[in-house]
Amino acid sequence: MLVGKKIVLVVTGGIAAYKAVTLTRLLVKAQADVRVVMTKSACEFVTPKTFSVLSTHPVLTDLFADTTDPAIDHIELADWADYMVVAPASANFIAKMAQGIADDAASSVVIARHTGIAIAPAMNSNMYQNPAVQRNLNQLSADGVKIMAPEQGQLAEGYAGIGRLAEPENLFAQIGILAETDEKTLTGKRVVVTAGGTQEPIDPVRYIANHSSGKMGYAFSQAAVEQGAQVTLITTVDLTPPPFTKVVHVKTAQEMQAALMQQYDAADVVIMAAAVADYRIAEPATQKMKKQADASGLTLKLVENPDILAELGAQKSHQYLVGFAAETQQLLDHAQAKLKKKHADLLIANDVSQADIGFGSDDNAVTLLFKNETPETLPKMSKLEVARQVLKLIKPRMEEA
Ligand code: C5P
């Protein structure tokens, strides 16, 4: 994603400046072309030499340095960039950005930009929570600057609080998505994705579950975020969510249904990748069930769960509805029947009897059944690639609908 992307990394003063070194390495490893600009105080923490060696380019530190390299002029550098990142962003630098002050090389490059920009605030928690800093961050957000939020944790001052710069790997993942300048097909759209198998309680310690890993749903969330969508992920599993994703944790089908209903009116696309249990225990025991004294066995009474997708289909107005059909036999027949019964716009059929694809696997091979169209098969590929391809195919159909 970052291959060949021209990224200006602005490093401002703070102990977290050392993390920008690893970030530079990660960006360069991903084949981004990185040029670094440092503020005077950043140079107190890390030397420009470190960044120039890692980025293989000279580092801009001074507006008035006598240089013969034209690419290091601050305007040329701003024009050159495809994306800008400020990490770490100090309270002082954030204030300057919010006010439009350009009194050194770093702030001048930032003001001269024509690209998107993401900043990673990092400072002491009291500084971070100061109303002036929060006001400036709100102003920057309103100006379209992306904020890569700091984390809770141990601060350099020896106590815990919010304000720590996110780990370089985390920043790198966020930048990968933000710097994607390909046309974002889902900008402004709200996408709701469900993931994982529901857990239907038998008693307080046991439940009925299934083999769904949730990976397909997480892949859809990632692909939708990449395309600029606002994503809500309703999940029964706890994998690392993609950046910029709102995560809602649920366990049972009924909880999943309630969470979906809250999102449904505002949603543009709903992707039901979750494996929802068709049945639940009629009356889950309130205390842990004891083993029966005799050997007559145990009978559990099940009642039907709501078919969430079918209910969404019945209430559908503007939403584009995507369901899955995980089958072990007669894949396409069953999937066609579900497409109609559930009033979905697309049913993604996959054969879960094959060990190398489907449940738990990182790969999938699916057949796409768009309403009123002949089936389209995607060969085996990563679940993320499946999700990207499907979203690309959905976009024009959403516009037609
Ligand atoms: O009928 P089946 O369970 O095979 O349908 C699969 C599709 O329907 C999936 O998209 C799944 O998320 C959804 N589903 C549902 N509620 C159920 C069962 C399945 O929304 N109770």
Side-chain angles (χ1 to χ4, degrees):
M1 247 184 336
L2 288 165
V3 179
K5 206 132 276 178
K6 299 179 189 133
I7 295 185
V8 166
L9 173 63
V10 178
V11 183
T12 76
I15 185 63
Y18 76 93
K19 290 190 185 173
V21 175
T22 310
L23 178 61
T24 305
R25 233 197 59 222
L26 291 170
L27 291 168
V28 170
K29 221 169 122 200
Q31 296 180 41
D33 198 356
V34 183
R35 289 181 181 238
V36 178
V37 187
M38 296 174 76
T39 62
K40 199 160 172 274
S41 44
C43 299
E44 299 287 328
F45 293 92
V46 190
T47 65
K49 185 88 187 155
T50 308
F51 287 108
S52 68
V53 170
L54 284 174
S55 68
T56 68
H57 290 298
V59 171
L60 179 64
T61 55
D62 189 344
L63 265 186
F64 306 107
D66 185 16
T67 170
T68 48
D69 183 346
I72 207 141
D73 173 86
H74 67 283
I75 300 293
E76 288 203 46
L77 199 53
D79 284 346
W80 170 87
D82 292 326
Y83 201 73
M84 282 195 197
V85 177
V86 185
S90 65
N92 181 51
F93 200 79
I94 288 168
K96 289 206 294 188
M97 277 183 75
Q99 290 301 316
I101 292 170
D103 63 353
D104 63 359
S107 52
S108 303
V109 169
V110 164
I111 261 203
R113 75 182 182 279
H114 62 96
T115 65
I117 186 165
I119 67 166
M123 63 200 76
N124 168 274
S125 55
N126 291 331
M127 290 173 80
Y128 181 67
Q129 282 159 344
N130 185 290
V133 173
Q134 288 301 317
R135 194 166 58 237
N136 288 334
L137 285 170
N138 286 338
Q139 180 59 54
L140 290 177
S141 262
D143 293 344
V145 173
K146 300 287 182 216
I147 316 286
M148 300 190 286
E151 294 179 347
Q152 289 277 353
Q154 200 63 22
L155 301 168
E157 293 73 16
Y159 52 87
I162 185 149
R164 263 167 62 106
L165 184 69
E167 290 308 315
E169 290 74 13
N170 180 333
L171 293 176
F172 172 73
Q174 296 187 56
I175 294 163
I177 286 169
L178 292 168
E180 181 64 68
T181 51
D182 292 346
E183 199 198 336
K184 295 193 174 179
T185 54
L186 293 173
T187 301
K189 300 283 180 207
R190 286 169 199 266
V191 175
V192 181
V193 183
T194 63
T198 60
Q199 299 172 5
E200 307 298 338
I202 299 171
D203 67 17
V205 295
R206 305 179 179 97
Y207 56 83
I208 299 178
N210 59 64
H211 289 300
S212 171
S213 63
K215 287 180 183 172
M216 195 65 241
Y218 276 68
F220 264 105
S221 300
Q222 160 98 24
V225 169
E226 285 173 7
Q227 291 307 317
Q230 262 178 272
V231 181
T232 303
L233 173 64
I234 301 172
T235 175
T236 64
V237 294
D238 200 8
L239 307 176
T240 307
F244 314 111
T245 302
K246 183 179 166 209
V247 180
V248 180
H249 286 284
V250 295
K251 288 197 163 65
T252 66
Q254 287 175 306
E255 287 169 11
M256 183 171 282
Q257 182 186 32
L260 266 163
M261 285 309 170
Q262 281 196 355
Q263 309 286 335
Y264 196 46
D265 280 350
D268 296 295
V269 183
V270 176
I271 298 168
M272 283 292 301
V276 184
D278 289 328
Y279 294 93
R280 67 176 183 275
I281 302 290
E283 280 174 37
T286 52
Q287 302 296 330
K288 184 181 170 191
M289 289 167 71
K290 292 289 168 212
K291 198 170 170 181
Q292 308 287 308
D294 58 29
S296 62
L298 172 69
T299 305
L300 295 171
K301 184 168 181 235
L302 303 178
V303 290
E304 213 170 314
N305 260 334
D307 187 325
I308 307 173
L309 182 57
E311 287 185 9
L312 298 179
Q315 300 178 23
K316 189 157 95 82
S317 51
H318 61 284
Q319 297 88 348
Y320 195 90
L321 264 191
V322 181
F324 275 75
E327 305 291 346
T328 54
Q329 56 181 350
Q330 291 174 285
L331 179 65
L332 292 190
D333 289 348
H334 286 308
Q336 282 291 6
K338 270 173 206 169
L339 178 69
K340 290 211 175 65
K341 187 175 142 217
K342 304 195 184 209
H343 299 282
D345 297 287
L346 165 64
L347 233 283
I348 304 177
N350 68 322
D351 183 348
V352 286
S353 67
Q354 296 183 40
D356 61 332
I357 55 168
F359 283 142
S361 163
D362 287 331
D363 294 329
N364 211 346
V366 297
T367 302
L368 308 179
L369 280 73
F370 286 101
K371 201 165 70 181
N372 306 327
E373 292 184 45
T374 47
E376 193 169 325
T377 298
L378 298 182
K380 183 177 160 186
M381 58 183 84
S382 73
K383 287 183 172 171
L384 182 56
E385 209 40 53
V386 169
R388 287 178 179 149
Q389 303 258 346
V390 168
L391 290 183
K392 260 192 209 139
L393 292 165
I394 284 176
K395 174 68 182 173
R397 289 168 171 90
M398 276 171 71
E399 277 156 11
E400 272 167 30

